[in-house]
Amino acid sequence: MNTAIKYTGLALFLGALLLFNALLFMTRHEVTDTALQAVVSGVSDPAHQSLITDALKARSGAPQGKWAFLTGLNSQFQAAGISKYSRDEYLFSIAKHTATGVYWDQPFLFFILIVLVGALGALIYMIPAFFDGMPGIKHNGLYFNSATNQGLIGILAGTFLIGFYILLYFYHWLIAEWITLVDPVAQVLRHEPASKWFMYGFLYSVAITVMGVRMFAKYRHSAYQRLRTASVMFFQLCFAFILPQILYQLHLPEDDLKNIWPLNYYFFFDWNIAKHIDSGAIGTFMLVWGIILAAVGVPLMTFFFGKRWYCSWVCGCGGLAETAGDPFRHLSDKSLSAWKIERWMIHSVLVFAVAMTALLWINVATNQGVLHAFSQSFYKWYAFLIGSAFSGVVGVGFYPLLGSRVWCRFGCPMAAWLGLWQKKASRFRITVNGGQCISCGNCSTYCEMGIDVRHYAQRGQDVVRASCVGCGLCAAVCPRGVLRLENAAADAGVRTTKTAITYPEN
């Protein structure tokens, strides 16, 4: 019976996923007078209006294939000197208004077949896990499963995720079908068609919610893990997704109130500050809230609870890593060379973010002085390399290839900032009862941050690491109760001095 339920759920999910991908190949484009008028009406630049009109009229007639039609227009607009941002928006509008095909005739039906059926199939697949023998952690199939151990299925999954992020960030006009798929939800929450970021936020929330159910099943023996999973689901759904939609309806800045500088790298930019101040008392409150959270909340909360209060309980990036990324957590590199690269990369990104913010305020102080052009270029490269390529394409796309915390380990400036406080002053540590350790290696296997926890446990040495996000999985999977998360480290003031020689300085 359990096998039949799992295969039924898997068939529904894979069918929805296949249809989701097939959408991109089910569209043809036809230029009509109505479509041309709808596209041009959304263009404010008269020169661009004329260019787009001529380009579309030249392609009028019989319906044309999607890829040749849109890529041809992109090349034409690029040759005409239209900026990347404007070009992408024009092409997305053209893609929607000229599209024809079975999907565009019944979009709500496809929303049901893909989103609802896909989520339902995934949940059905998980049902037997709640009743599969005694709760606990097993390694059955962990290292021999093609989907979770860098086999063919894992490589295909990683390829799909990488491709999804590349299209989302850089060519969203090629995925108009995916974006408009969630129009029903956008119309309810925003009273307008979906944007690429709404689509992404919606799918992100669905992934955390559905895979959060899997976490409840797999770690049902641990009250701490159940509560932690409920927390990341709550903060993603309520703070990161629903709250910004409410703020939008109130004509206020669409803030995710848990998104803190330097992760929210543009928070202290002059235009963002001006936007909040111009939004009145509530906007000013959100601005002050963000400043207090970054300047006071982070040090204070990290002192008492370590970086786990944010990275494992609140953060959306961590929430996706802990739920959707959980099947791949064992892939994190535990080698010494990876740890050395990690230290240099993550702190370099933090310096990058701080320097970018400092350059901005130098420009403000000098009234857009000599550093203006340099700082603008600095910001664009950060947004591209860190904000898009690293956090999205690599950070999530490489889950099935390098583990679930690639971004958190190597690129997140917030993790670096929290880690500095955790290493220097936090009361948090993972205590070890070394006499009970049987060297099974569960703790190291399940550490998504690449920490060889068994090395500490074998020596009876408490784990004090800047990189540790305090997820507690090492303690949850330990069959002997050797590991325990603690918030009362007596050596908080000396752990990085020469007297604290038992602790690695990282």
Side-chain angles (χ1 to χ4, degrees):
M1 176 63 73
N2 284 349
T3 301
I5 292 174
K6 290 184 67 173
Y7 279 121
T8 299
L10 183 61
L12 290 174
F13 173 76
L14 291 179
L17 182 61
L18 180 63
L19 186 57
F20 181 70
N21 285 279
L23 283 185
L24 301 185
F25 304 93
M26 296 168 62
T27 296
R28 294 181 66 80
H29 293 274
E30 182 178 10
V31 180
T32 63
D33 291 339
T34 303
L36 178 59
Q37 183 178 359
V39 170
V40 174
S41 65
V43 180
S44 58
D45 189 318
H48 291 176
Q49 285 183 344
S50 177
L51 175 64
I52 292 171
T53 300
D54 292 341
L56 291 181
K57 283 184 176 180
R59 289 168 171 79
S60 61
Q64 303 168 52
K66 169 183 176 176
W67 305 97
F69 178 76
L70 292 177
T71 55
L73 286 171
N74 180 53
S75 298
Q76 187 173 348
F77 294 165
Q78 185 176 12
I82 299 178
S83 69
K84 168 69 173 162
Y85 176 81
S86 297
R87 193 165 70 243
D88 287 351
E89 294 307 311
Y90 296 159
L91 287 168
F92 179 62
S93 177
I94 292 170
K96 288 202 305 180
H97 289 108
T98 63
T100 62
V102 62
Y103 163 70
W104 300 94
D105 295 332
Q106 297 288 338
F108 187 67
L109 174 62
F110 281 84
F111 173 79
I112 295 173
L113 293 176
I114 294 174
V115 178
L116 299 186
V117 172
L120 178 63
L123 292 171
I124 291 174
Y125 178 81
M126 298 170 192
I127 288 175
F130 283 95
F131 310 99
D132 185 17
M134 294 296 291
I137 304 304
K138 304 177 181 66
H139 287 332
N140 298 350
L142 185 66
Y143 290 107
F144 305 100
N145 190 324
S146 178
T148 60
N149 198 43
Q150 300 170 327
L152 178 60
I153 297 176
I155 292 172
L156 291 175
T159 302
F160 168 75
L161 288 172
I162 292 168
F164 172 83
Y165 275 92
I166 290 174
L167 291 171
L168 174 72
Y169 280 112
F170 310 118
Y171 304 100
H172 73 280
W173 39 275
L174 286 173
I175 55 171
E177 297 86 351
W178 289 352
I179 296 172
T180 56
L181 185 68
V182 298
D183 273 354
V185 183
Q187 291 290 354
V188 171
L189 296 179
R190 298 175 70 90
H191 305 303
E192 66 182 23
S195 67
K196 68 174 184 177
W197 297 123
F198 182 90
M199 179 271 289
Y200 180 53
F202 176 76
L203 294 182
Y204 201 100
S205 300
V206 169
I208 287 181
T209 302
V210 171
M211 293 300 285
V213 174
R214 175 187 174 279
M215 292 288 288
F216 285 129
K218 184 175 181 180
Y219 303 106
R220 63 188 186 276
H221 66 293
S222 171
Y224 180 85
Q225 295 303 323
R226 295 197 305 270
L227 183 59
R228 190 174 67 88
T229 300
S231 176
V232 297
M233 292 168 67
F234 167 78
F235 277 105
Q236 174 60 33
L237 286 172
C238 297
F239 275 66
F241 184 64
I242 295 177
L243 179 60
Q245 316 311 325
I246 295 173
L247 293 172
Y248 176 79
Q249 290 296 323
L250 297 174
H251 305 288
L252 293 168
E254 299 175 59
D255 280 8
D256 173 0
L257 295 181
K258 63 178 180 54
N259 199 6
I260 311 170
W261 182 90
L263 181 59
N264 182 4
Y265 55 87
Y266 56 81
F267 181 82
F268 288 110
F269 283 16
D270 50 349
W271 58 263
N272 189 57
I273 292 176
K275 179 180 69 174
H276 281 78
I277 293 175
D278 292 343
S279 298
I282 297 180
T284 302
F285 165 77
M286 290 190 289
L287 177 63
V288 173
W289 164 262
I291 294 172
I292 293 176
L293 198 57
V296 180
V298 165
L300 189 63
M301 293 292 288
T302 308
F303 172 75
F304 285 107
F305 304 109
K307 63 194 289 185
R308 62 172 167 157
W309 75 270
Y310 188 77
C311 295
S312 290
W313 285 73
V314 173
C315 178
C317 302
L320 190 70
E322 293 291 346
T323 53
D326 180 74
F328 313 106
R329 63 189 308 126
H330 61 289
L331 299 178
S332 61
D333 191 343
K334 276 74 173 182
S335 68
L336 181 63
S337 59
W339 170 65
K340 291 179 179 179
I341 295 172
E342 172 189 334
R343 287 195 303 166
W344 282 104
M345 286 188 66
I346 195 168
H347 293 109
S348 296
V349 173
L350 177 60
V351 171
F352 200 169
V354 172
M356 182 173 58
T357 305
L359 280 172
L360 165 77
W361 285 106
I362 290 173
N363 285 332
V364 171
T366 59
N367 193 23
Q368 305 297 322
V370 294
L371 292 176
H372 176 63
F374 175 75
S375 65
Q376 288 299 308
S377 177
F378 202 73
Y379 159 69
K380 289 179 180 179
W381 276 107
Y382 185 95
F384 170 73
L385 292 175
I386 309 302
S388 299
F390 205 155
S391 66
V393 178
V394 175
V396 181
F398 278 68
Y399 275 8
L401 306 176
L402 298 177
S404 58
R405 288 273 191 172
V406 178
W407 162 246
C408 306
R409 286 184 67 187
F410 297 96
C412 178
M414 186 66 185
W417 179 232
L418 288 164
L420 291 175
W421 284 100
Q422 178 164 281
K423 183 179 79 170
K424 297 293 184 181
S426 176
R427 295 160 61 92
F428 171 74
R429 69 162 80 181
I430 299 175
T431 57
V432 173
N433 180 1
Q436 296 293 319
C437 180
I438 59 174
S439 298
C440 66
N442 278 9
C443 52
S444 293
T445 296
Y446 276 83
C447 181
E448 60 195 343
M449 296 304 292
I451 301 172
D452 187 3
V453 183
R454 181 172 59 177
H455 173 86
Y456 292 84
Q458 289 173 328
R459 291 157 178 77
Q461 182 181 350
D462 292 352
V463 183
V464 181
R465 292 282 291 264
S467 57
C468 177
V469 294
C471 66
L473 257 297
C474 58
V477 301
C478 178
R480 303 280 291 177
V482 173
L483 306 166
R484 183 180 179 88
L485 278 66
E486 300 280 1
N487 291 327
D491 66 332
V494 298
R495 61 177 53 174
T496 58
T497 66
K498 291 183 178 180
T499 58
I501 57 174
T502 58
Y503 301 104
E505 295 190 10
N506 61 319

